[in-house]
Amino acid sequence: MDKVKIGLIGLGARGMSLLKGIFLKMDDIEVAAVCDLYEDRCNEAAELIKSERGVKPTVTKDYHDIMSMPEVDAIVIGASWVEHTNIAVAAMEAGKYVASEVGGAYSLQECWRLVEAYERTNTPCMIMENCCYGRDELMVLNMVEMGALGEIVHASGGYHHDLRQEIAEGNINRHYRLNNYLNRNCENYPTHELGPIAKILGINRGNRMLTLQSVSSKARGMSTYLQDREEHSELAKSTFMQGDIVTTIIKCAHGETITLTLDTTLPRFYSRGFTVRGTKGMYTEDNRSIFIEGQHDEFHHSWKDQWGNVEQHREQYEHPIWQKYLEEGVKSGHGGMDWLVISAFFNSVKQQTEVPLDVYDMASWMSISALSEESIALGGQPVAIPDFTNGRWINRK
């Protein structure tokens, strides 16, 4: 297959950024159809495609129309969180490869629906977790596989991102986050931090997540933010359910622990807090530092002078994917990782092979949202994480 024809479903901020920054810059990708509930979004996307490629795509408000188009090879989902599973299942049942943007699940049932649809249709489904293709994330994965950090004992990460303005303007921008923050209290966006950690720990491929415990702080950030903003005076009267800080601890089958943190409604700098701890060393994102036993021991009491030493380790530990990428030229999208994750998906479509971040990854990572919501409601009690592979994780590669 030389050219992949896709249907793009969901044309909000993320869908349009993929269209403008990625799909229309890929010569081997043709956007054959676009879909959104809002007509203005559909028209904007269609006109852009026509101006860039000379051909207007099929336009529809009903994604089922695209599923019935025989010329469409793959579906890309950029719609709201609540629709990811419905669209993905419909795509698999139509025999079309599907790539879904990230987000958390609302129930375990929808995670099982994804797995059951895949196993029934044998149609690959990929979660587009771009952070799995981040330069540092892949370098640390390479270090772990080379044994540089020893046996991994603990990893942590978070979605540390001040989203107060985006949430506050949810009604203006027709963005789904606002209603989630008004009505739910959970780890609502777990995959940016969990995805790279899961790859490092071999989750679903020789290891699995067993249980989690989640606790939430009070919710004050949004209310305080809205108090002095007249344009949001009506919203300021609302009660937000989503706690400002949600902490989730996960226990794995081989004894490792994972800590996830959601931190999106208080003033702060952006970070994913990616940290990996092993018996021979560690990596931490926030000061971009690597500590390896035997190399850095003399600095352990004066480590601030060594902050930012990641670049010193590039030559030895740079992941082969990024070695090649740097030679070819890094492309657009979140520092280049958008291009990598989407290219990986399209390569699978062309070769008709399995996708690298598969339906079992998607189900298990997304399930954290629904399970954390349950644990918080139970006062932080442990909650079992299902084995979506039904035992196959033991021997999966």
Side-chain angles (χ1 to χ4, degrees):
M1 185 184 297
D2 295 325
K3 180 167 285 193
V4 178
K5 295 185 178 181
I6 69 170
L8 175 56
I9 300 173
L11 301 167
R14 182 56 174 160
M16 286 301 292
S17 70
L18 291 175
L19 177 62
K20 295 175 182 178
I22 307 291
F23 301 146
L24 290 177
K25 295 182 179 180
M26 289 181 161
D27 295 334
D28 55 348
I29 302 303
E30 179 182 331
V31 184
V34 293
C35 174
D36 197 281
L37 293 176
Y38 299 107
E39 187 174 355
D40 61 313
R41 290 178 175 177
C42 288
N43 292 336
E44 180 187 357
E47 290 303 319
L48 177 62
I49 294 165
K50 183 179 179 180
S51 67
E52 291 287 329
R53 296 292 177 88
V55 179
K56 189 173 182 178
T58 296
V59 176
T60 180
K61 291 183 179 181
D62 185 349
Y63 64 80
H64 293 95
D65 294 339
I66 300 178
M67 305 306 171
S68 63
M69 294 173 62
E71 66 270 30
V72 171
D73 304 303
I75 300 295
V76 177
I77 303 170
S80 63
W81 299 337
V82 72
E83 290 298 332
H84 287 185
T85 296
N86 291 332
I87 300 171
V89 169
M92 285 186 275
E93 290 177 341
K96 301 184 187 300
Y97 271 69
V98 55
S100 175
E101 265 302 337
V102 302
Y106 290 79
S107 69
L108 288 183
Q109 286 80 2
E110 66 173 301
C111 299
W112 281 115
R113 282 181 61 211
L114 286 167
V115 170
E116 290 162 0
Y118 166 72
E119 294 180 345
R120 183 172 64 251
T121 66
N122 201 34
T123 301
C125 176
M126 177 166 165
I127 183 168
M128 290 195 293
E129 184 39 78
N130 53 1
C131 293
C132 289
Y133 288 84
R135 188 179 181 186
D136 280 9
E137 285 88 345
L138 278 176
M139 187 175 84
V140 175
L141 174 62
N142 198 35
M143 293 180 72
V144 170
E145 291 176 344
M146 293 173 68
L149 301 183
E151 182 179 356
I152 304 305
V153 175
H154 177 77
S156 60
Y159 190 52
H160 307 290
H161 190 180
D162 185 349
L163 294 174
R164 291 174 298 168
Q165 181 177 352
E166 178 180 294
I167 296 165
E169 296 179 353
N171 287 331
I172 300 169
N173 297 324
R174 298 171 293 189
H175 197 288
Y176 46 87
R177 260 198 177 99
L178 172 59
N179 283 334
N180 276 267
Y181 278 69
L182 287 170
N183 293 285
R184 304 177 72 201
N185 189 13
C186 62
E187 167 48 87
N188 62 42
Y189 206 61
T191 70
H192 274 349
E193 60 269 31
L194 180 56
I197 291 170
K199 301 302 285 185
I200 284 170
L201 296 181
I203 301 301
N204 296 326
R205 296 165 182 82
N207 198 0
R208 64 170 290 239
M209 298 181 289
L210 294 177
T211 62
L212 67 71
Q213 294 173 265
S214 294
V215 294
S216 172
S217 75
K218 57 188 174 182
R220 294 293 184 271
M222 284 305 302
S223 298
T224 302
Y225 177 82
L226 295 167
Q227 280 176 0
D228 300 322
R229 288 171 168 80
E230 292 184 8
E231 68 273 25
H232 299 304
S233 57
E234 286 302 310
L235 185 59
K237 301 173 186 177
S238 302
T239 300
F240 285 83
M241 299 300 296
Q242 179 63 59
D244 293 324
I245 307 288
V246 172
T247 305
T248 299
I249 300 174
I250 298 170
K251 181 76 171 182
C252 299
H254 290 172
E256 305 92 345
T257 51
I258 304 169
T259 302
L260 307 179
T261 306
L262 179 75
D263 176 1
T264 55
T265 50
L266 297 173
R268 65 157 299 124
F269 59 90
Y270 178 86
S271 169
R272 295 191 295 276
F274 180 51
T275 300
V276 178
R277 303 293 309 281
T279 56
K280 293 182 179 179
M282 67 177 289
Y283 164 91
T284 182
E285 175 189 335
D286 281 349
N287 56 33
R288 301 195 68 247
S289 298
I290 292 170
F291 187 99
I292 296 178
E293 187 176 40
Q295 294 183 22
H296 302 116
D297 295 20
E298 63 184 289
F299 302 112
H300 74 283
H301 280 307
S302 56
W303 189 242
K304 288 184 178 180
D305 295 335
Q306 305 299 313
W307 282 5
N309 69 355
V310 165
E311 299 306 319
Q312 300 172 23
H313 298 270
R314 291 286 187 207
E315 183 176 355
Q316 185 174 4
Y317 297 118
E318 189 85 81
H319 196 282
I321 287 176
W322 267 88
Q323 290 177 8
K324 182 179 179 183
Y325 197 24
L326 290 164
E327 291 173 2
E328 295 175 345
V330 176
K331 308 296 194 303
S332 60
H334 289 98
M337 57 189 182
D338 283 357
W339 189 280
L340 285 176
V341 70
I342 292 166
S343 295
F345 171 69
F346 287 141
N347 286 338
S348 296
V349 178
K350 288 179 181 179
Q351 298 166 17
Q352 294 292 287
T353 57
E354 265 300 338
V355 291
L357 307 176
D358 64 17
V359 73
Y360 301 107
D361 298 321
M362 186 172 179
S364 59
W365 302 352
M366 285 174 54
S367 75
I368 300 305
S369 291
L371 294 168
S372 67
E373 192 166 20
E374 179 181 353
S375 180
I376 289 169
L378 293 172
Q381 289 189 27
V383 174
I385 301 173
D387 171 16
F388 292 101
T389 73
N390 286 307
R392 290 190 293 274
W393 63 272
I394 296 173
N395 297 312
R396 288 183 85 229
K397 302 297 184 184

